[in-house]
Amino acid sequence: MPSADDPTARELGDQYEQIDEERRNSAALKIQKCYKIRQRSKFLSTYGDLLQVDDDWHNFALTSAFMRQFIFYFDANQEGDIDLLSQICDKLLHYAGDRNGSNEILRVLADHSKHPKDSVVLSRVKKLALICVHGAHRKRYEWDTGLAFVKALHILAWMIDPGFSWNCEVVGYLQENKIYILFREIICALPKNALEHHDGSSPLEHVLLRLASHVGSNPCNCPTVDPRWSFSTQILSVPLVWDHLPHFKALYGNKLKKYYINQMWSSRVDILPEDISVNYPGYACLLANALEVEASDTTDVVAIAVSLMDGVASSLESAGGNNALQTEVINELDVDLQIQINEIIKHLVNAAFNGKSGSVSSDAPGEPSNVDIQAVASVCAFLHAITNTFQLDAVRTVLVHHTNIVSSLWTSIKLCYENKCWDSFSKCIPSGPSDALGWLLPLNIFCPLFKCALEVIIDDSVQIENFTFKDLKLLVLILKEALWELLSTIPEEAKTTPNNCGLKKMMKSDVIKANTRSGLCDLLTQLQLFSNRHQHLVDDDGPQILVDDDFCTQQEISPEFVHQAMIPDSREASIIELAPFLVPCDIRFQIFDLKLATSKQTETHTRLRIRRRKLFQDAFHQLNSLSEKDLHGTMSVEFIDDHGLAEQGVDGGGLRREFVNNVVEISFGKKLNLFKSTPDNLMYPNPESKLEHLECFHFIGILLGKALYEKIPVGVRLAEFFLRQLKHKPTTFNDIASLDKDTYTGLLKLKSDIDGVDMSFEIENGDTIEKLIPGDNKLAVTSDNVILYLNLFANHRLEQEIQNQTSRFLRGFEKVVPKEWISMFTESELQMLMSGPAKWDIDDLRNNTDYGGDYKADDDVIKMFWEILEKFNEDQQKKFLKFVTGSSHISIHGFQSLEPKFGIVRLVVGEGIDQYHPQSSTCANLLKLPSYSTKEVMEQKLLEAISFKNVGFHNE
């Protein structure tokens, strides 16, 4: 047995003693509970019906046991107690109704003789006030029919009358008992706009106003409320609270908003009550409600946004949050809450710019005023917080279409750029970093907004409000300079920035740089697409042109740029990845060629044996069977004739070109019907092609990818909307024009005159009708949603209908050419890369020609040949090029890139030389030309030779 001095024994003794004490306390509580239940039953049996038969005010006297026991035994969960409370309220209302209101209630509760500050009286008032709150809360779902709800609130309002000396002590007691939690649940139980038609303030609003008026300043001496249970935390985070309390909103805005705005500056999102639902996150509700009554004071709004947005970030991070979690929450915001936020932002921005439409006042001629800069800086900081937290596309749409922020920001940016006063912004940006470049934040907000404005221009009218052609030229210049500077100075670790990092972190210089860089890249890309689509922009001075060179940097590109761009994470590689338009296209073509050369698997060689009568089938099976490594290796072609024998000739490049172009011609031909053509003869996948043809699209993707990889220009031109999908870029309504201009024109008329048109969000697809909005039940097209309809229509026609075909095509294409390699090019540049220039230069061919067989450049026969070739029309020139090289197109690098070099040799024949046709060796890019007697004979024989097709004629 352990001794008394043993530490283990002492520890066991302490544990037993603690267990005994817990048992004694538990037993005492049970005894007390049983006693209270018996006494409560005795109280109800004694006084339950008393107030129904006795109107004597002495029931409320201090000497009466009734009120003392009622307050002690009250249980809001007992229906009988609520009924008794209703009777008590009836009596008090009766006493006060015909007399002096609140003063008469005071006389009753103070027993007509006691001083109101008597401790017993004050205790009774406090507890009865709290009971009224619990009673109203218990009956909150009977707000429109339950008398107990209204009566309790009436009595409560009288007991916290500002004229009573006990007023602050009672309100302080209620706040200490967390009554705003109960009022929060009461408000949430009210239907939206339930009190809108109430004659004056409702009892609920009356009570809340009296409670909220205790702001802790003279003459109020209420104790400070724990922020977790405060009015701003519990009430202002109720979803759409002003719809529930319409009359209270006006009184709150006039008298109380300044105090609670200051209180919210120090609010933390982690102390907000649990969200009503996932659609109503507390921080969003608090922000929206606060802004709705504060939309005229930009400075205060920004301060709230700073606090709340940082809180949102901390909340998400502490919950293990990430961008995916944030996006999930944001995407589920209630529609009404989104509308509330959007409307508030609209009013705030318009108030900040005082209704200006791009006109900015100035302290000196040509310079923006300090007031304007302050307004712009504050609005930009606020929108930076909102858009980085909510990421609502609707926010940008509202700003673009219902405010003048785009033109106002542009005016400020233009004036600051021209007057070199960017530093003024740095001093005015709330929470801005000391090392921030002044133009960062305005451009960060402006870029996505202007991009949005460009995206919704869906017709041939290219006028942008308050923007002249000179403005667009200057804008491109400013954006280029800003982007080049950012790409030169931004640290690599700031490439990507999480959106849930809080405004204070967002406002760090590196973070703003990263976000602004992304916005600049996106806008310049959109501007380039816009200018390509509208080659002639109409201005006061007539049609103007924005060309690709306008988007290239004016900074000098070093000779080492191409090789540096091949180094991952280098500055040059970042420029090519993020802003390829800054680099002239000829340099980007060089980078592409270098990527091809460095990826070439020279040790791997594939020899294709292709039967001419089974050209497509053999190509399909043999190319489809190649691995990615094989496709990046070298390739040669050997043709098999009808007798199963290999044709003579060594493939020096010409046979590959002939093979690829012949298979491409079959693949895109009408016989297979895998592709359709636009009225401009541009090709895209046939949406009516069958499922069993999907492997053909995979093969054709490999074929075109291999052609691009081998620098073999092909004779097919693809539709612009299909080229965009090769780059994994979304299409827009304007791309419908590249599919069918008549359809595009008809839809434009629909956009301008939708009235009286009976249409819904549906589209005919053969014999079936498909919904543009899944699950929607015949949503009608109206003037309010016609833009949405047009964009959904375009997406369906251009992407969804050919989704399977495009996906298989891309899978094959990217097996040879990674998407990153072609993302640096525009659609027109990509087409040029695949098919070469639309026309080729005869002088270029002449300057890159070798002569043999005793021919020389100054021979009469050679002179005649070049004169005839120049005389040929475009179609005849293409046929000649295919006759001698196997392809009717030439690489973007011209004839200098042709391997082997084009050559002309004398064809030695017997007598009757004028009877022979010229011959060619496409494998060697060689023309065998007889020395004809006259120019006319040479022209006739050349035309006959290049026109022979599938009639047994062989080039050799």
Side-chain angles (χ1 to χ4, degrees), residues 130-278:
L130 183 59
I131 286 174
C132 287
V133 176
H134 281 283
H137 176 264
R138 179 71 172 78
K139 289 294 185 179
R140 62 189 182 278
Y141 295 109
E142 300 175 21
W143 64 272
D144 56 340
T145 58
L147 294 177
F149 176 82
V150 176
K151 293 173 186 176
L153 291 175
H154 273 302
I155 296 301
L156 177 59
W158 275 341
M159 285 191 289
I160 56 174
D161 190 315
F164 288 169
S165 56
W166 64 40
N167 180 259
C168 284
E169 295 179 69
V170 175
V171 172
Y173 174 80
L174 294 175
Q175 291 177 340
E176 288 173 357
N177 281 273
K178 307 174 185 177
I179 56 152
Y180 288 125
I181 296 177
L182 301 178
F183 278 111
R184 173 185 176 84
E185 294 179 358
I186 291 174
I187 295 170
C188 291
L190 295 175
K192 190 170 71 169
N193 301 320
L195 305 180
E196 186 175 11
H197 303 294
H198 200 280
D199 187 14
S201 296
S202 64
L204 175 60
E205 292 172 298
H206 195 192
V207 168
L208 285 174
L209 180 61
R210 288 190 168 182
L211 289 170
S213 298
H214 288 258
V215 294
S217 59
N218 189 41
C220 175
N221 58 5
C222 289
T224 303
V225 183
D226 187 317
R228 291 173 296 175
W229 326 123
S230 66
F231 174 85
S232 58
T233 300
Q234 293 290 332
I235 303 302
L236 293 184
S237 62
V238 172
L240 308 170
V241 69
W242 306 124
D243 288 345
H244 297 289
L245 307 173
H247 303 288
F248 178 70
K249 174 185 175 182
L251 297 171
Y252 168 86
N254 293 333
K255 298 179 179 180
L256 303 174
K257 69 176 183 179
K258 280 296 179 186
Y259 171 78
Y260 287 108
I261 286 295
N262 290 329
Q263 189 179 83
M264 277 184 282
W265 283 353
S266 58
S267 294
R268 303 194 316 272
V269 173
D270 58 347
I271 67 172
L272 291 176
E274 185 177 349
D275 296 341
I276 299 297
S277 72
V278 69

Side-chain angles (χ1 to χ4, degrees), residues 661-674:
N661 275 278
N662 286 341
V663 178
V664 165
E665 186 175 349
I666 296 172
S667 300
F668 287 84
K670 292 183 179 180
K671 184 177 181 180
L672 292 182
N673 202 29
L674 296 175

Side-chain angles (χ1 to χ4, degrees), residues 790-808:
L790 294 177
N791 283 314
L792 290 176
F793 179 93
N795 177 265
H796 191 278
R797 282 282 188 243
L798 304 179
E799 295 189 34
Q800 292 187 31
E801 285 188 355
I802 59 173
Q803 183 177 7
N804 292 330
Q805 295 89 333
T806 302
S807 176
R808 291 300 182 95

Side-chain angles (χ1 to χ4, degrees), residues 335-390:
V335 173
D336 288 338
L337 181 57
Q338 292 186 36
I339 293 173
Q340 183 190 21
I341 294 173
N342 293 341
E343 286 297 307
I344 292 165
I345 292 173
K346 178 178 73 175
H347 292 307
L348 169 70
V349 171
N350 285 331
F353 292 119
N354 297 318
K356 302 168 188 172
S357 298
S359 59
V360 178
S361 58
S362 56
D363 294 331
E367 294 183 8
S369 71
N370 291 332
V371 174
D372 289 322
I373 291 177
Q374 177 67 60
V376 171
S378 296
V379 169
C380 287
F382 167 71
L383 293 177
H384 183 64
I386 292 294
T387 54
N388 276 274
T389 300
F390 291 103

Side-chain angles (χ1 to χ4, degrees), residues 894-915:
F895 288 100
Q896 64 178 350
S897 64
L898 193 63
E899 294 181 3
K901 205 171 184 180
F902 174 63
I904 303 177
V905 299
R906 187 189 299 272
L907 178 63
V908 180
V909 294
E911 295 181 358
I913 193 171
D914 288 347
Q915 299 177 10

Side-chain angles (χ1 to χ4, degrees), residues 657-906:
R657 286 191 295 273
E658 180 184 354
F659 160 71
V660 168
N661 275 278
N662 286 341
V663 178
V664 165
E665 186 175 349
I666 296 172
S667 300
F668 287 84
K670 292 183 179 180
K671 184 177 181 180
L672 292 182
N673 202 29
L674 296 175
F675 287 82
K676 297 183 70 174
S677 63
T678 69
D680 295 328
N681 205 31
L682 303 176
M683 310 302 292
Y684 65 96
N686 185 354
E688 298 175 1
S689 59
K690 299 178 181 179
L691 289 177
E692 56 264 29
H693 292 155
L694 290 179
E695 282 304 312
C696 291
F697 285 99
H698 180 265
F699 158 70
I700 296 171
I702 292 177
L703 179 68
L704 288 190
K706 185 61 175 174
L708 186 57
Y709 192 83
E710 297 288 338
K711 301 181 186 178
I712 300 175
V714 296
V716 63
R717 307 189 77 83
L718 304 178
E720 182 177 332
F721 70 87
F722 185 52
L723 286 168
R724 286 183 63 78
Q725 293 177 66
L726 295 191
K727 296 170 56 185
H728 294 262
K729 299 294 183 182
T731 57
T732 67
F733 172 74
N734 287 304
D735 290 311
I736 285 286
S738 67
L739 174 66
D740 188 340
K741 290 182 179 179
D742 290 339
T743 300
Y744 180 71
T745 302
L747 290 172
L748 288 180
K749 292 180 181 178
L750 174 67
K751 175 218 171 209
S752 59
D753 187 15
I754 190 63
D755 294 337
V757 177
D758 184 15
M759 292 181 62
S760 59
F761 277 70
E762 296 176 333
I763 190 170
E764 292 185 12
N765 191 2
D767 297 331
T768 62
I769 302 294
E770 297 185 15
K771 294 183 181 297
L772 294 177
I773 300 180
D776 182 75
N777 187 19
K778 284 212 173 267
L779 175 64
V781 180
T782 66
S783 57
D784 292 331
N785 61 25
V786 65
I787 300 296
L788 174 62
Y789 170 80
L790 294 177
N791 283 314
L792 290 176
F793 179 93
N795 177 265
H796 191 278
R797 282 282 188 243
L798 304 179
E799 295 189 34
Q800 292 187 31
E801 285 188 355
I802 59 173
Q803 183 177 7
N804 292 330
Q805 295 89 333
T806 302
S807 176
R808 291 300 182 95
F809 182 95
L810 283 174
R811 190 182 303 174
F813 186 84
E814 292 173 1
K815 192 175 180 181
V816 189
V817 181
K819 64 180 180 181
E820 293 79 15
W821 291 8
I822 63 172
S823 61
M824 70 177 90
F825 302 110
T826 64
E827 286 73 36
S828 59
E829 290 169 346
L830 179 57
Q831 183 64 71
M832 189 184 301
L833 201 64
M834 297 174 68
S835 301
K839 295 182 179 180
W840 52 273
D841 186 358
I842 291 180
D843 288 335
D844 181 33
L845 177 60
R846 191 191 338 250
N847 294 333
N848 288 279
T849 299
D850 286 337
Y851 300 97
D854 72 14
Y855 273 152
K856 295 182 178 60
D858 56 355
D859 287 346
D860 291 339
V861 173
I862 298 301
K863 290 179 180 179
M864 282 193 302
F865 166 75
W866 290 115
E867 289 173 2
I868 292 170
L869 195 58
E870 287 177 342
K871 181 182 175 183
F872 280 177
N873 58 37
E874 183 177 340
D875 183 59
Q876 291 168 338
Q877 289 177 352
K878 286 183 177 181
K879 287 181 178 180
F880 169 78
L881 190 60
K882 185 170 185 179
F883 176 72
V884 295
T885 69
S887 172
S888 59
H889 295 265
I890 190 63
S891 161
I892 55 172
H893 300 300
F895 288 100
Q896 64 178 350
S897 64
L898 193 63
E899 294 181 3
K901 205 171 184 180
F902 174 63
I904 303 177
V905 299
R906 187 189 299 272

